[in-house]
Amino acid sequence: MFTSIFDATGGHLTAGNVMICIISSLVLGFIISWVYMMNGSYSKHFAISLVLLPILVQTVIIMVNGNLGTGIAVLGAFSLVRFRSIPGSSQEICGIFFAMIVGLAVGMGYIIFAFLITLIISIVMFILSRTSFGETGMAEKILRITIPENLDYTEIFDDIFKRFTKKVLLERVKTTNLGSMYELRYRIVLKDVSQEKAMIDEIRCRNGNLPIICGRPQALKEEL
């Protein structure tokens, strides 16, 4: 069942085998891209990349075809591409590896194995994304408060945080506006999300109505 289609031709390429690999890579690429789009936010360019990545990897593997020198050259080319790419989220990197593994399997001729792996991983990804697996159970938010330099930020908002938050952590203090102001960055968990405006209003009265930003944590911590 899990045998390469190239075994029947003694490891040599034929037009029929190549077309089977190309069609299989495109079909599996569309499946991977569709599953990724169903599981969260995405961009059109990244969705297209997931479609094309399996066939690109499959083509590289077919062209190497046991040639050690060519394989080393391809490895060097892939390492150069890495330095021209920006960091991605853990989900994006997982999708890229998923597409590359499928392309590798198809390029080696293991078509049935590639389809089976795609089916299993797609089902697992879909189930995990639709369940609460891995969730912390707390809606953390990032709160940024700007205060003038003459205010002592160490305990100025403690009474407000005690009434409105379950958890609060001062992560960073940054000077702004040529040192005339401080920007405080807190990680908080609200007791009641409907009281967010009331908390911000009280903070505004204390920081002189300077800018306050409250939102979800950035996705930077998801990067690998």
Side-chain angles (χ1 to χ4, degrees), residues 185-214:
R185 176 188 169 107
Y186 294 90
R187 187 177 294 271
I188 65 172
V189 177
L190 294 171
K191 292 180 180 178
D192 184 0
V193 293
S194 64
Q195 295 296 312
E196 180 179 325
K197 181 180 183 301
M199 181 189 69
I200 292 177
D201 287 339
E202 292 200 19
I203 295 175
R204 286 173 52 212
C205 295
R206 201 162 296 184
N207 79 330
N209 206 27
L210 291 173
I212 300 173
I213 301 175
C214 186

Side-chain angles (χ1 to χ4, degrees), residues 4 12 42 62 64 109 129 138 148 152 162 186 215-216:
S4 174
H12 299 291
Y42 60 93
I62 289 179
V64 172
S129 66
M138 297 188 299
D152 183 5
K162 186 176 181 180
Y186 294 90
R216 68 179 184 85

Side-chain angles (χ1 to χ4, degrees), residues 15 28-29 33 40 42 51-52 61 66 72 80 87 108 112 122 137 149 161 166 182 188 193 214-215:
L28 294 174
S33 183
Y42 60 93
V51 174
L52 298 179
I61 298 303
I72 295 175
L80 289 177
M108 296 179 65
I112 298 178
S122 297
E149 62 176 346
F161 290 145
K166 296 179 183 177
Y182 288 102
I188 65 172
V193 293
C214 186

Side-chain angles (χ1 to χ4, degrees), residues 111-209:
I111 307 298
I112 298 178
F113 177 75
F115 272 94
L116 181 62
I117 288 296
T118 302
L119 177 63
I120 293 174
I121 297 179
S122 297
I123 292 175
V124 173
M125 288 177 60
F126 188 82
I127 292 175
L128 292 178
S129 66
R130 291 296 187 272
T131 61
S132 59
F133 180 81
E135 294 181 358
T136 61
M138 297 188 299
E140 283 192 342
K141 291 196 172 186
I142 295 296
L143 178 65
R144 295 181 180 178
I145 306 173
T146 302
I147 62 173
E149 62 176 346
N150 60 341
L151 287 182
D152 183 5
Y153 57 81
T154 52
E155 298 179 354
I156 187 174
F157 302 117
D158 285 0
D159 58 325
I160 299 177
F161 290 145
K162 186 176 181 180
R163 285 188 288 114
F164 289 100
T165 66
K166 296 179 183 177
K167 172 186 172 184
V168 59
L169 175 64
L170 178 59
E171 288 192 329
R172 186 182 68 183
V173 178
K174 176 185 176 183
T175 59
T176 61
N177 198 22
L178 299 178
S180 62
M181 296 181 184
Y182 288 102
E183 181 185 270
L184 312 178
R185 176 188 169 107
Y186 294 90
R187 187 177 294 271
I188 65 172
V189 177
L190 294 171
K191 292 180 180 178
D192 184 0
V193 293
S194 64
Q195 295 296 312
E196 180 179 325
K197 181 180 183 301
M199 181 189 69
I200 292 177
D201 287 339
E202 292 200 19
I203 295 175
R204 286 173 52 212
C205 295
R206 201 162 296 184
N207 79 330
N209 206 27

